[in-house]
Amino acid sequence: MILLVVLAAAGRTADAEEKPQWLRAVEAANELTYKCFGEENDADCKAMIGHYDKAMAAPDADNAIRHEVFKHRMNAIAARGGNLVEAGDIAQALPLLHAGHAEMRTHLDGGKHAHTVIDNLRLQGWFLEALVASGDLENAETVVDLPRQLVPQYYELLAKSSGNERTMSLITEGVVRSEELETKYGNALAARADAWGSDARAKVARGRAIVAYRNALKWLERGDAEGWTMPFQGTNAIRFAELNNALGKALFASGDRKGAVEAHKLAFVAASCKGFDDGSLHDFDKITAARPCREAVAGYMAASGETQRLAKDAAETMYRQQMELYGKDISDLLRAAPKQVD
């Protein structure tokens, strides 16, 4: 938003004279916004970052301009890195996100620009996913440690910051984006644990996934208490159900059946699954709640042992039916069989 104000002011000044070099570079970058963020075209993302580089290197850009352009440049790096991760190109995503993360840490300047950690939670989230996908769990824990320490410090300022728009914006962003970061980190770790199977590393990955899911739930509860929500990611209640289902699945896989049962129960309640039977859910709500409700029921059945009991009962019933058939006289049925045609 600040960059837009700066651009507008610079644009008005440039009406009567040639546009500043940094402004021309920023405008060139802005023209690629949809192609990079919307169409996810890697070449356009790369070009966009290049234009921001030119803006920051322009001789007519002062420190205030460079500071503001830096934030948008980092968003472009996060977008390109995220696109590569989603496309499965971890080999190309990792060095890009690693370099971006290193720049972010340099920009911190010993804590003078601590806000940059919150400004770049998306970049850190994609970096975490890339590290986990590559199997580098130790560096992933090192990376996640920074936002886990800093964002809570900003959150503690909530009660004193009601009149400070900038701080409130950072706190809000920190809360909702930390929920997103921890959720995706947990998902990446759980997927890696499943891929490792019986490997000893799977237990470590799953344990860290459980921690991440619980952190995400804490941030979701804090945001919900303030009326904040993640844009375009469904209601807080549905996300609460989805997170508890993911937590329940990880707990069950780790051997904690009791914890898994409780998590799936919370998911069932949060998604208003009873509404499917009593008619209290509207059609749209049924659509959004269908999947978390199915997962809550299936997860509860497995963790509580109900699935195994039903399977055992079904097997015993089938066995009894087969035994009854063995005792029946089926000679009439055999005589009624069709004759072979010559």
Side-chain angles (χ1 to χ4, degrees), residues 159-212:
K160 304 176 183 178
S161 304
S162 58
N164 189 322
E165 185 177 343
R166 172 58 175 159
T167 303
M168 283 300 297
S169 175
L170 280 169
I171 294 171
T172 305
E173 183 79 1
V175 169
V176 298
R177 293 300 170 190
S178 287
E179 178 207 330
E180 180 183 46
L181 180 147
E182 295 283 5
T183 299
K184 290 186 174 182
Y185 185 38
N187 291 342
L189 286 164
R192 174 50 56 187
D194 290 342
W196 273 330
S198 60
D199 190 297
R201 292 173 297 176
K203 183 178 180 180
V204 175
R206 194 166 285 116
R208 291 176 182 177
I210 290 168
V211 171

Side-chain angles (χ1 to χ4, degrees), residues 59-291:
D60 52 8
D62 58 24
N63 287 335
I65 293 295
R66 292 191 187 95
H67 185 81
E68 197 59 33
V69 171
F70 175 81
K71 177 181 176 179
H72 293 268
R73 177 180 175 277
M74 295 296 282
N75 283 338
I77 291 174
R80 186 184 177 211
N83 294 343
L84 290 168
V85 171
E86 288 189 325
D89 192 349
I90 305 301
Q92 191 174 182
L94 259 179
L96 173 71
L97 292 166
H98 186 279
H101 187 262
E103 288 186 59
M104 181 201 78
R105 291 186 66 90
T106 300
H107 190 73
L108 278 170
D109 193 14
K112 294 179 183 177
H113 296 295
H115 64 86
T116 195
V117 175
I118 293 178
D119 291 339
N120 290 288
L121 283 172
R122 281 194 187 95
L123 182 143
Q124 293 164 86
W126 287 121
F127 190 26
L128 284 171
E129 289 192 52
L131 286 167
V132 173
S134 71
D136 190 352
L137 299 193
E138 297 315 306
N139 272 323
E141 281 295 288
T142 300
V143 168
V144 80
D145 186 58
L146 180 59
R148 281 179 175 174
Q149 289 191 50
L150 188 135
V151 179
Q153 293 177 20
Y154 269 87
Y155 179 71
E156 289 174 4
L157 301 174
L158 179 62
K160 304 176 183 178
S161 304
S162 58
N164 189 322
E165 185 177 343
R166 172 58 175 159
T167 303
M168 283 300 297
S169 175
L170 280 169
I171 294 171
T172 305
E173 183 79 1
V175 169
V176 298
R177 293 300 170 190
S178 287
E179 178 207 330
E180 180 183 46
L181 180 147
E182 295 283 5
T183 299
K184 290 186 174 182
Y185 185 38
N187 291 342
L189 286 164
R192 174 50 56 187
D194 290 342
W196 273 330
S198 60
D199 190 297
R201 292 173 297 176
K203 183 178 180 180
V204 175
R206 194 166 285 116
R208 291 176 182 177
I210 290 168
V211 171
Y213 287 139
R214 284 176 170 155
N215 285 340
L217 282 164
K218 287 178 184 177
W219 286 120
L220 174 55
E221 290 166 2
R222 289 165 176 167
D224 188 65
E226 300 299 326
W228 303 333
T229 187
M230 191 96 65
F232 313 115
Q233 297 296 324
T235 65
N236 288 348
I238 291 299
R239 290 205 314 287
F240 185 82
E242 291 172 341
L243 271 168
N244 271 291
N245 278 330
L247 174 61
K249 184 178 178 181
L251 288 168
F252 179 55
S254 70
D256 185 356
R257 286 177 172 268
K258 184 178 179 181
V261 166
E262 292 305 311
H264 288 302
K265 279 183 179 179
L266 287 172
F268 187 90
V269 173
S272 302
C273 299
K274 281 189 69 176
F276 280 87
D277 297 324
D278 63 23
S280 61
L281 276 183
H282 297 295
D283 288 343
F284 179 77
D285 295 324
K286 287 182 179 180
I287 293 171
T288 58
R291 180 173 178 179

